[in-house]
Amino acid sequence: MDTHAEVHVAAAVDHLGGSLGAASFPTTAAGYRDLLSWLRRYGTIDRIGVEGTGSYGAALARYLRWEQITVVEVSCPNRQARRRHGKSDVVDAIAAARAVLAGDAAAPPKSRDGAVEALRAVKLVQRSATKARTVALNQLHSLLVTAEDGLRAKLRGASRVETIAICAAFRVRSDDDSVAAMTRLALRELALRVRHLDEQLDRCAQRIARITAQLAPKLLDLKGIGPDVASTLLITAGDNPDRMHHEKSFASLCGTSPLQASSGKTTRHCLNRGGDRQANAALWRVAIVRMGTDQRTRDYVARRIAEGKNKPEIIRCLKRYIAREVFNTLTGTACRT
């Protein structure tokens, strides 16, 4: 399936990879039913590969799972393949089907129908509100730097909280369009925006803490993991972490698994810069907290320093161990660290 906002393009191949046909269907409930009926004309459906199961293909993937169809997540074709075969919706759909047949695409997608999906929605608001708050504070500070001397003197030495409170209380006459009046109006609106975003962030934090405590209380018991880090890791794992059959899969998903970079007589690994970077950053924060507060981690760091490792290398090792611990906690597997 090559998925889009309004139309999905489906292609069917046989067990040898031969193309049986291709067709387009609207992204509606009726379109999904027609798509499945069309596929069944060619025989028994083995698996269906869907591109974009986290975006345009999310609704289709849910429908296929409800119909007891095995769904496989398919990545976009690489650039080399596109240069050889060109680019079209039908070509992409056939490439997705052949990737599933060859085993290049074999990972089940996230189910996106449980508490973790609810957590992801709230987390999305939290992240955007945090960015908007930072922008508003920077703009407020920039206006204060260029404001008139009287206004700057009034706010000189005030803390951030006091500055926001003072600016939020500014009054401007409706008929005054002078530079001084408009500066005070801008400062007031920015201060009110910051207050609104603070209230929004508080509401999001409360919901995130409650959902996380209900969903994974054992994860919160781990050293250095609070609701914010736990929610990030839960979103990375998804509502169905059992789709990952080994802790190495979760480590790869978090970008903490070293990649083979060996050639000839040289045996080495390189840093994995893929995976979910939000989860990778969350693991980094846990590692830093443990390095400062956990005696077991301190002993480990001292031992690795004695072996000649530097701090970035030690942190990468710690993130790998923490990813294993998180996976074992989420799946109820006995820890083997």
Side-chain angles (χ1 to χ4, degrees):
M1 302 292 173
D2 185 36
T3 58
H4 301 276
E6 302 297 333
V7 174
H8 293 334
V9 178
V13 299
D14 58 22
H15 65 288
L16 297 177
S19 177
L20 299 175
S24 300
F25 301 90
T27 57
T28 61
Y32 298 154
R33 290 193 296 269
D34 293 342
L35 185 153
L36 200 55
S37 298
W38 175 81
L39 285 174
R40 283 173 171 158
R41 295 176 188 172
Y42 295 105
T44 303
I45 300 173
D46 181 26
R47 289 162 293 170
I48 295 181
V50 180
E51 282 189 12
T53 57
S55 54
Y56 292 137
L60 174 61
R62 280 195 297 267
Y63 174 79
L64 294 174
R65 283 195 298 270
W66 290 337
E67 294 292 332
Q68 306 300 314
I69 302 295
T70 301
V71 179
V72 177
E73 186 171 5
V74 179
S75 300
C76 296
N78 59 45
R79 294 180 180 180
Q80 290 180 343
R82 283 186 170 178
R83 280 195 292 268
R84 289 197 305 268
H85 303 292
K87 169 71 175 75
S88 73
D89 294 340
V90 173
V91 169
D92 287 348
I94 294 174
R98 287 174 176 166
V100 175
L101 183 65
D104 294 334
K110 294 180 181 179
S111 60
R112 299 184 182 275
D113 56 2
V116 173
E117 181 64 13
L119 195 61
R120 188 183 72 86
V122 181
K123 194 76 173 176
L124 181 70
V125 176
Q126 185 194 49
R127 287 173 180 164
S128 63
T130 300
K131 292 179 181 178
R133 183 179 184 274
T134 301
V135 170
L137 286 171
N138 289 339
Q139 290 173 337
L140 190 147
H141 175 73
S142 178
L143 278 173
L144 286 176
V145 169
T146 59
E148 60 179 351
D149 292 339
L151 186 58
R152 292 171 60 191
K154 184 176 182 179
L155 294 170
R156 184 175 287 113
S159 66
R160 177 180 291 178
V161 175
E162 293 170 343
T163 300
I164 292 173
I166 294 171
C167 292
F170 282 158
R171 294 186 178 182
V172 181
R173 297 200 317 269
S174 59
D175 59 344
D176 187 356
D177 294 334
S178 64
V179 173
M182 291 302 97
T183 300
R184 292 164 67 90
L185 175 65
L187 289 172
R188 184 187 69 187
E189 295 303 321
L190 287 171
L192 292 175
R193 183 182 299 175
V194 171
R195 280 188 170 181
H196 170 71
L197 291 170
D198 283 338
E199 295 171 358
Q200 194 175 87
L201 286 168
D202 288 341
R203 291 194 297 270
C204 290
Q206 292 173 6
R207 288 298 184 105
I208 288 171
R210 188 172 70 191
I211 295 173
T212 304
Q214 294 173 351
L215 193 59
K218 292 183 179 179
L219 188 60
L220 294 172
D221 292 337
L222 299 180
K223 184 72 173 180
I225 296 183
D228 188 64
V229 169
S231 60
T232 301
L233 296 173
L234 283 168
I235 291 169
T236 301
D239 283 299
N240 51 336
D242 55 309
R243 76 186 190 282
M244 296 177 287
H245 301 297
H246 198 276
E247 51 91 13
K248 294 179 182 178
S249 301
F250 182 70
S252 178
L253 198 58
C254 295
T256 60
S257 58
L259 300 177
Q260 281 281 357
S262 303
S263 178
K265 297 180 180 181
T266 303
T267 301
R268 60 182 291 268
H269 292 78
C270 66
L271 186 64
N272 188 348
R273 300 189 182 277
D276 188 336
R277 306 317 297 174
Q278 295 287 345
N280 192 284
L283 294 175
W284 180 88
R285 292 196 293 272
V286 178
I288 295 299
V289 169
R290 292 187 178 186
M291 288 172 68
T293 61
D294 183 50
Q295 188 58 47
R296 181 187 175 191
T297 304
R298 288 178 177 178
D299 295 340
Y300 173 81
V301 172
R303 187 171 71 252
R304 297 310 294 263
I305 288 176
E307 295 173 357
K309 296 286 187 181
N310 57 36
K311 188 175 179 181
E313 291 172 337
I314 295 171
I315 291 175
R316 287 198 288 270
C317 294
L318 285 173
K319 287 194 296 184
R320 181 65 179 86
Y321 290 136
I322 295 167
R324 180 180 301 165
E325 186 179 13
V326 169
F327 176 82
N328 291 332
T329 301
L330 290 177
T331 58
T333 308
C335 187
R336 297 184 294 271
T337 54

